[in-house]
Amino acid sequence: MALGTFTVFPVRAGRLDRRVAGWAMVWAPVLGALLGGLTGAAAVLGTAVGLSAALAALLAVGLGALLTRGLHLDGLADLADGLGSARPAEGALEVMRRSDIGPFGVVTLVIVLAAQTLALGQLAQASAEAALTGAATAGAAGRLAVALACTPRVPSARPEGLGAFVAGTVRLPGALLAAVPAPLVCLAGWAHAPGFALACALAVAAGLLAAGLLLRRAVRRLGGVTGDVLGALSETAVTTALVVAAAAAARL
């Protein structure tokens, strides 16, 4: 379920219930770190073959979107349209159900993708180690934000859909396990500079804080989480972590 939900890779469906869903969310940060590492590797490879750091990062971010079917980006755009509609909860959820993207969604996607591209490009300019570690850290942070949003204290905004299926499925032991990959990935930052490992840990914290603030807003506005909200949390944490890591890499 983790592979089928968070990546483009086809998998054979097995038993699907809320217990399985909870473990899938626990595995999400591991997959996030792997996908982030692939994105960072693509940026490093692009610069190695002569592309500018910005162009290599743009192609790498595009690869990241392809590997996730653009699922999280779609959720981010839908949530932006829903929150920007200024409608009551039911009306905002209806806006989010639509297949089209409105102006709030378009602007949000442009800003987020530009920030991810420029931050990853700056990391690639700093060093290959910074790009690989920064991207993997951001990927882990993004999916950790999803796992933490599936703890019992966070309700579902709808009685159906992905949000309802996974809401409340991650108990405390699972949340603690889900938090393990991010700091382990941060340790690889020592390859760039001793202080970069700590900077990556701060990037994870900043990403989770940004996602937490968005989650609080979504719960108050919509009544809980949906699949779109979870995707938006992931992209918010990823973008924030990348920006913080890029700022740190430039100084170390």
Side-chain angles (χ1 to χ4, degrees), residues 66-139:
L66 177 64
L67 292 176
T68 59
R69 302 190 306 273
L71 184 66
H72 308 311
L73 291 169
D74 179 68
L76 177 67
D78 286 343
L79 180 60
D81 284 332
L83 295 180
S85 68
R87 296 185 181 184
E90 283 302 320
L93 289 170
E94 181 58 35
V95 169
M96 293 167 62
R97 287 191 188 98
R98 297 175 184 171
S99 59
D100 60 334
I101 299 179
F104 287 102
V106 171
V107 172
T108 300
L109 285 180
V110 169
I111 293 174
V112 165
L113 289 173
Q116 290 182 4
T117 296
L118 295 175
L120 183 56
Q122 189 167 324
L123 286 168
Q125 278 186 319
S127 73
E129 294 82 4
L132 290 169
T133 305
T137 296

Side-chain angles (χ1 to χ4, degrees), residues 11-34:
V11 292
R12 180 177 299 177
R15 179 173 64 92
L16 293 179
D17 54 30
R18 284 178 55 81
R19 184 174 183 275
V20 172
W23 281 109
M25 297 305 105
V26 170
W27 273 101
V30 175
L31 293 177
L34 293 174

Side-chain angles (χ1 to χ4, degrees), residues 201-232:
L202 293 176
V204 172
L208 293 179
L209 175 60
L213 293 174
L214 180 60
L215 176 62
R216 182 182 181 185
R217 172 61 176 162
V219 170
R220 287 186 172 184
R221 184 76 171 76
L222 306 174
V225 296
T226 67
D228 287 332
V229 172
L230 297 178

Side-chain angles (χ1 to χ4, degrees), residues 1-11 31 69 71:
M1 180 178 174
L3 284 170
T5 302
F6 292 100
T7 76
V8 72
F9 301 111
V11 292
L31 293 177
R69 302 190 306 273
L71 184 66

